[in-house]
Amino acid sequence: MRLLIARPNKLTASSLVIASWLFFSFAMSGRVQAGLSAENVILVVNGDSRDSVTLANHYLELRGIPDNHVVVLDEIPSGLTISLDDFRDLILRPLLKEIDRRGLANQTRVIAYSAGFPTSVDIKTHTSRLTAAMQKRYQKPTASLNSLTFFFRWVLADSPDYLGWGSNFYCRGPFKRNFANPFGGEKREEFDVATQLVTEEKYAEAAQAWCDLAEQYPTIASLRIRAAEAYAHAGKSNEATEQVRLAIQSGWTDRRYVVETAPLSELFAESDDDSKPLPRSRERLLELLVDRPNTMQSPVGFVSDSGWTISGDRQPAKQGAMTYLLSCMLGVIHPRGSTMEQAVEVLRRGKQADATYPDATFGFSKTSDVRSTTRQPGMVDSLAWLLSQDRKVDVFSSRLPKGDQQYVGMMLGAASLPLDDRTWSFVPGAITDNLTSLGGAFGSSSQTKLTALLHAGAVMSSGAVAEPYSLQPKFPHPIMYAYYQEGVTAIEAFYLAVASPYQLLIVGDPLCQPYAKPIVDFVRIESTAAVANSDAASGGTKLRFVWQAMPRSPSSIATKAIELFMQGKLVGSVRPVNKVEINLPPNMRGVMSCRATLVGRHATEPRVVFAETIVLGDEAELPKLERLRKSDQQSFHVSADCAGADRIEVRHMGRVVATVDGSSGEIELSEDQLGRGPIALSSVAWFGKEAVTGRVLKSSW
């Protein structure tokens, strides 16, 4: 069938029509969306591990991860460490191939491993090829599972380049990095020429050169700031103001630089003279910016279908930018790690903490231990940032704080932590980390493990899987806590702050977002009978997504885009319009999951999801599952029924776990197949080549 869809940057009507609704893709236009919600997560499960399946059951229920976002892998080697070849051949390649096969690559940003996977990877074949003296000495041949997933492109290319000290370009750096030359080759020379023109005070020529580059690379906001400065030097205030507007449109958020740095300060600094107020056009621009210290780069939401430059800017991968995949483990079920109950509780706390905006303290340990002194220089930047946003901070000269305060973040540095004797507490949503050698090395009984901090109340923590040495690039910079309170998710906060994460095991709920900027708008999803005409499918069903803009509060943000999903797959992204309608082909029947995700107009790009289950056709004719309560509690018994069906498939986590021949029958499923916890089973009835889905059966086991 033919696909008819308006491109987002050319959308003029209040609706768009799609003639084919599944198994298609199209080129998204406009600015790449960022931030995280359930539709951006791929949950990876070890099909041979009950623990892995059980923990995944809980996370699916808590976060509403779509079934087709679960990838179940089999024949995963047991133990804590896996070889590089096995990681590449048994985990990474099959995982990425499956994501691509399902058409989810353009929306996947997080790979979350359930329990039951090795936590570390032997990378001797890569470290043996290092030639730089410092790398040969300090880069040990053990990497974490999630870090090699983050560096998937290097692993697939069999390249050791991820072992550099700053291989994570998504990580933020000093504020001056905003103005570093982000290019290579010919464009690098053009950048240098523009810089030289400024040095020679040829400001008008420099401004044009910066504008030319900015037109080609619209996601690099600093190019517009450079152009604005050149225009201001040339005395062209209107042109300078326009370039600042375009910079903000491209993602610039820092107010102080515009207000305090010459020559832009001459245009934007507020005067004490009431008779000389700022022009309203400039005041409106300043209202869009955030007042915070110009010491570190500002946090941004993560993208994976675009890449990152050496200056930390977003840029299309085809233009040379580096692409990554955020990754973590949901839990480590191990005698030195967590029990199943503890791991599940961490994920529950993560969900409960979303958008709670805790008025709690960010704590920093400052002792003479090298594990603490290593990060003390960066504490100044984090403290200044947090205090500028009126957050509570506590710097304590001991391994752990004393007293009964509540903490939402805590930077620690000690080999062992006496957590059992604490009088303080973590609030739901807290993140924490501890700089020490073996926090993620569960094969050793030495040192406090990262999971102990999760059991103390945190929702995400990290630790090294092998000796990392006391090197700041291998651990979260203290600025992580300032970024977290800006509204990013927990997993974004970690990767925004770690320049060389290859040894860092990150565990917990990646989607926890207690400080998410609130979006107050909402979407209503409904289905109606389609109107027959020559352009729409006669007699079909029309899906309608109705967006309602609500009055904004001082703290809320506007909707920037609406993403539409069917059966968990992204089918379109549009700017906010009152109504989007999709005409489905005629005679479709079955149950369909529909979602609309609102993306906020903010650098962190928060997301709010609205979901609805739509029934197409007569529900009485759809397959039905019913749990049968029998005395045998060691098995999960289900009846399946659909009149006239040739066969009925029963699926768990997207894979077929049983098949009924004919139109009805009973099924016995084992714990090895389903795990325990909240079980969600779906059914597909086959009528020849026609597949008809039924409602999901949810039950606790």
Side-chain angles (χ1 to χ4, degrees), residues 406-433:
Q406 291 186 311
Y407 293 87
V408 68
M410 193 178 292
M411 186 196 82
L412 303 170
S416 60
L417 300 170
L419 292 164
D420 291 340
D421 300 327
R422 68 186 184 279
T423 54
W424 52 270
S425 62
F426 283 124
V427 297
I431 61 173
T432 183
D433 79 294

Side-chain angles (χ1 to χ4, degrees), residues 2 6 13 107 206 215 219 232 268 340 487 526 529-530 560 567 655:
R2 200 161 51 97
Q107 68 191 79
E215 287 293 328
T219 57
F268 288 92
M340 179 59 68
E526 57 192 19
K560 181 181 73 171
Q567 305 293 61
R655 61 174 178 169

Side-chain angles (χ1 to χ4, degrees), residues 640-651:
D641 179 78
C642 186
D646 298 322
R647 70 181 190 279
I648 305 171
E649 293 176 348
V650 178
R651 299 180 179 182

Side-chain angles (χ1 to χ4, degrees), residues 124-140:
K124 283 194 292 288
T125 57
H126 282 172
T127 54
S128 65
R129 289 152 54 186
L130 296 175
T131 57
M134 287 288 287
Q135 286 185 319
K136 287 174 67 69
R137 180 176 180 182
Y138 292 114
Q139 303 297 59
K140 293 300 181 182

Side-chain angles (χ1 to χ4, degrees), residues 245-417:
R245 185 190 70 80
L246 292 172
I248 294 171
Q249 184 175 301
S250 295
W252 185 268
T253 62
D254 296 283
R255 177 189 173 101
R256 288 193 190 181
Y257 186 86
V258 173
V259 171
E260 299 178 358
T261 306
L264 294 182
S265 59
E266 299 171 13
L267 300 177
F268 288 92
E270 297 177 342
S271 173
D272 294 331
D273 187 350
D274 292 340
S275 66
K276 297 180 179 180
L278 278 180
R280 182 55 186 151
S281 60
R282 296 178 198 167
E283 280 187 347
R284 283 196 294 265
L285 292 179
L286 292 181
E287 290 169 0
L288 299 173
L289 300 175
V290 181
D291 185 18
R292 52 198 172 202
N294 291 335
T295 55
M296 296 290 289
Q297 290 179 299
S298 300
V300 291
F302 181 77
V303 296
S304 57
D305 51 355
S306 189
W308 303 90
T309 70
I310 195 170
S311 59
D313 292 295
R314 297 177 188 171
Q315 188 172 302
K318 65 182 179 181
Q319 293 179 328
M322 299 297 181
T323 55
Y324 307 92
L325 281 172
L326 300 181
S327 182
C328 68
M329 296 194 73
L330 298 181
V332 179
I333 310 299
H334 188 272
R336 297 191 185 98
S338 302
T339 64
M340 179 59 68
E341 290 73 18
Q342 289 171 325
V344 170
E345 179 56 29
V346 170
L347 301 180
R348 285 200 187 107
R349 282 199 304 269
K351 172 59 176 175
Q352 293 166 357
D354 286 352
T356 54
Y357 312 102
D359 183 24
T361 300
F362 290 88
F364 300 84
S365 174
K366 185 179 180 182
T367 70
S368 59
D369 191 324
V370 67
R371 298 172 179 85
S372 175
T373 59
T374 295
R375 294 196 286 182
Q376 286 174 16
M379 282 173 51
V380 176
D381 294 330
S382 186
L383 292 172
W385 192 306
L386 289 165
L387 291 171
S388 76
Q389 304 305 303
D390 296 324
R391 300 297 181 189
K392 299 175 184 177
V393 298
D394 178 25
V395 180
F396 44 90
S397 57
S398 53
R399 288 181 292 174
L400 290 169
K402 299 174 182 178
D404 58 359
Q405 286 197 73
Q406 291 186 311
Y407 293 87
V408 68
M410 193 178 292
M411 186 196 82
L412 303 170
S416 60
L417 300 170

Side-chain angles (χ1 to χ4, degrees), residues 33-54:
Q33 304 304 325
L36 305 175
S37 58
E39 295 79 18
N40 305 118
V41 177
I42 297 295
L43 177 55
V44 191
V45 179
N46 181 348
D48 300 322
S49 165
R50 291 185 185 180
D51 286 342
S52 189
V53 178
T54 296

